[in-house]
Amino acid sequence: MISDLVSICKKGGDIIKDNFNKKLDVKKKSSIDLVTDVDYFVEKVVKEELDRKFPSIEIIAEESALDNIEEEKPVFYLDPVDGTTNFVHGFPFVAVSLAYYVKNRGEIGIVYNPIMEELFTAERSNGAFLNGKAIKVSSTGEMVNSLIGTGFPYSIVESGDNEVIIQRLRNILESSRGIRRAGSAALDLCYTAKGVFDGYYESGLKPWDVAAGKIILEEAGGHVSSLGGGEYDFNEPWIVGSNGLIHDHLIDKINIS
Ligand code: 2AM
Ligand code: CA
């Protein structure tokens, strides 16, 4: 199954690559939440291919998600373009993210960045790979030696009260080597899996943003949790991922509200 899914993601990725740095028709879902015709087109092509190969498996995809999904059933989570703002602005941190879940448990995760030609893959209990080579998380054990990824919800503009978000940033800035805000949750999780980031946290995400990256990070030896440190599920407002070693230290800095 995974090789079929990789081929399908590559088809989607080719469309992203062909349209990167081209003039795009950009629409707004909210004041800073963008969508382009490429998001819709990649989603259409990937969904058609999935339907053809795996007709009985439900697909939950960003641009056509329904509310009444039975997540107990086998399901694909698809984000056709994760990092749409990056895509629109020509920042090359953009990916197709596809995951296969059975009974709410991740079985396969694929995150493909066609611009940087990075294909992250993982199957449960079989390790995580970047372009076919095994990857694993960093061995950094202290916050002071850590690079931390994060992201901010699109609602940050409307919400007005962002003091807690700023306080978390302050805590990380004052305790780590630095913060990166790269703009793709799927790739942030993969960069934690690859040992580039030592930890990552974000709120306000949807299943298709994190479903694939979560398996990849776990299979690379990392740990994923809620803000309180308990098990992460898609209903949790916050996701925290790390190499495992700094996990509690990271939570200590951000679990402040
Ligand atoms: P997107 O590019 O597919 O929209 C940036 O911080 C990351 O968070 C991206 O992966 C972005 O996904 C996602 N993101 C931010 N706010 C979001 C929201 N309200 N709903 C879904 N995804 C969001
Ligand atoms: Ca998207």
Side-chain angles (χ1 to χ4, degrees), residues 1 5 8 46-47 49-51 53-61 69 73-79 97-102 108 208 211:
M1 183 184 216
L5 297 183
I8 292 172
V46 172
K47 278 178 82 172
E49 293 284 320
L50 289 173
D51 271 335
K53 279 267 176 196
F54 309 101
S56 62
I57 303 177
E58 195 110 37
I59 305 167
I60 303 180
I69 299 290
K73 286 191 184 164
V75 66
F76 290 121
Y77 290 104
L78 167 67
D79 190 343
S97 175
L98 178 64
Y100 176 55
Y101 274 60
V102 179
I108 294 175
W208 46 81

Side-chain angles (χ1 to χ4, degrees), residues 1-2 106-109 121-129 215 219:
M1 183 184 216
I2 188 163
E107 298 295 334
I108 294 175
T121 53
E123 262 180 297
R124 178 147 307 280
S125 305
N126 201 28
F129 299 84
I215 312 170
E219 286 299 317

Side-chain angles (χ1 to χ4, degrees), residues 24 27 32 52-53 63 81 87 90 110 113 124 127 168 172 185 194 196 207 227 231:
L24 299 163
K27 296 187 183 70
I32 59 169
R52 206 162 55 80
K53 279 267 176 196
E63 311 307 343
V81 181
F87 179 59
I110 297 166
N113 178 344
R124 178 147 307 280
R168 287 190 177 100
I172 300 294
K194 189 185 167 188
V196 175
L227 186 62
E231 200 172 321

Side-chain angles (χ1 to χ4, degrees), residues 29 33-34 39 62-63 79 81-86 150-155 181-186 188 200 202-206 208-209:
K29 294 202 264 188
D33 188 356
L34 310 177
D39 295 66
E62 176 167 20
E63 311 307 343
D79 190 343
V81 181
D82 191 54
T84 298
T85 307
N86 289 341
T150 191
F152 311 108
Y154 294 125
S155 59
R181 195 286 193 242
S184 158
D188 287 339
Y200 159 75
E202 186 159 356
S203 72
L205 296 171
K206 296 282 168 42
W208 46 81
D209 295 315

Side-chain angles (χ1 to χ4, degrees), residues 2-22:
I2 188 163
S3 59
D4 283 329
L5 297 183
V6 165
S7 304
I8 292 172
C9 286
K10 286 198 165 167
K11 270 199 180 161
D14 287 346
I15 300 168
I16 294 177
K17 192 169 183 172
D18 287 346
N19 287 280
F20 193 65
N21 281 329
K22 297 257 169 72

Side-chain angles (χ1 to χ4, degrees), residues 1-228:
M1 183 184 216
I2 188 163
S3 59
D4 283 329
L5 297 183
V6 165
S7 304
I8 292 172
C9 286
K10 286 198 165 167
K11 270 199 180 161
D14 287 346
I15 300 168
I16 294 177
K17 192 169 183 172
D18 287 346
N19 287 280
F20 193 65
N21 281 329
K22 297 257 169 72
K23 195 164 165 30
L24 299 163
D25 184 15
V26 181
K27 296 187 183 70
K28 291 187 171 186
K29 294 202 264 188
S30 70
S31 70
I32 59 169
D33 188 356
L34 310 177
V35 65
T36 72
D37 290 344
V38 176
D39 295 66
Y40 292 120
F41 187 50
V42 173
E43 180 159 315
K44 180 172 171 288
V45 168
V46 172
K47 278 178 82 172
E48 280 171 4
E49 293 284 320
L50 289 173
D51 271 335
R52 206 162 55 80
K53 279 267 176 196
F54 309 101
S56 62
I57 303 177
E58 195 110 37
I59 305 167
I60 303 180
E62 176 167 20
E63 311 307 343
S64 54
L66 303 169
D67 290 333
N68 58 341
I69 299 290
E70 289 173 51
E71 290 173 3
E72 288 293 301
K73 286 191 184 164
V75 66
F76 290 121
Y77 290 104
L78 167 67
D79 190 343
V81 181
D82 191 54
T84 298
T85 307
N86 289 341
F87 179 59
V88 167
H89 287 260
F91 187 83
F93 222 59
V94 180
V96 181
S97 175
L98 178 64
Y100 176 55
Y101 274 60
V102 179
K103 291 195 165 80
N104 292 316
R105 202 170 86 135
E107 298 295 334
I108 294 175
I110 297 166
V111 174
Y112 177 49
N113 178 344
I115 315 299
M116 296 169 71
E117 290 183 10
E118 290 189 322
L119 172 71
F120 294 91
T121 53
E123 262 180 297
R124 178 147 307 280
S125 305
N126 201 28
F129 299 84
L130 166 56
N131 295 339
K133 272 182 69 179
I135 51 171
K136 65 183 179 67
V137 292
S138 72
S139 55
T140 309
E142 292 176 62
M143 282 299 290
V144 71
N145 297 326
S146 301
L147 188 65
I148 305 297
T150 191
F152 311 108
Y154 294 125
S155 59
I156 199 160
V157 174
E158 283 90 18
S159 84
D161 181 13
N162 294 310
E163 277 315 306
V164 179
I165 289 179
I166 305 291
Q167 185 60 49
R168 287 190 177 100
L169 278 178
R170 187 193 304 275
N171 290 354
I172 300 294
L173 285 168
E174 291 175 356
S175 61
S176 73
R177 220 173 245 187
I179 292 186
R180 296 293 180 270
R181 195 286 193 242
S184 158
L187 285 168
D188 287 339
L189 287 161
C190 292
Y191 270 53
T192 312
K194 189 185 167 188
V196 175
F197 296 157
D198 306 290
Y200 159 75
Y201 69 97
E202 186 159 356
S203 72
L205 296 171
K206 296 282 168 42
W208 46 81
D209 295 315
V210 293
K214 177 175 182 283
I215 312 170
I216 292 166
L217 175 52
E218 288 172 344
E219 286 299 317
H223 184 55
V224 175
S225 81
S226 67
L227 186 62

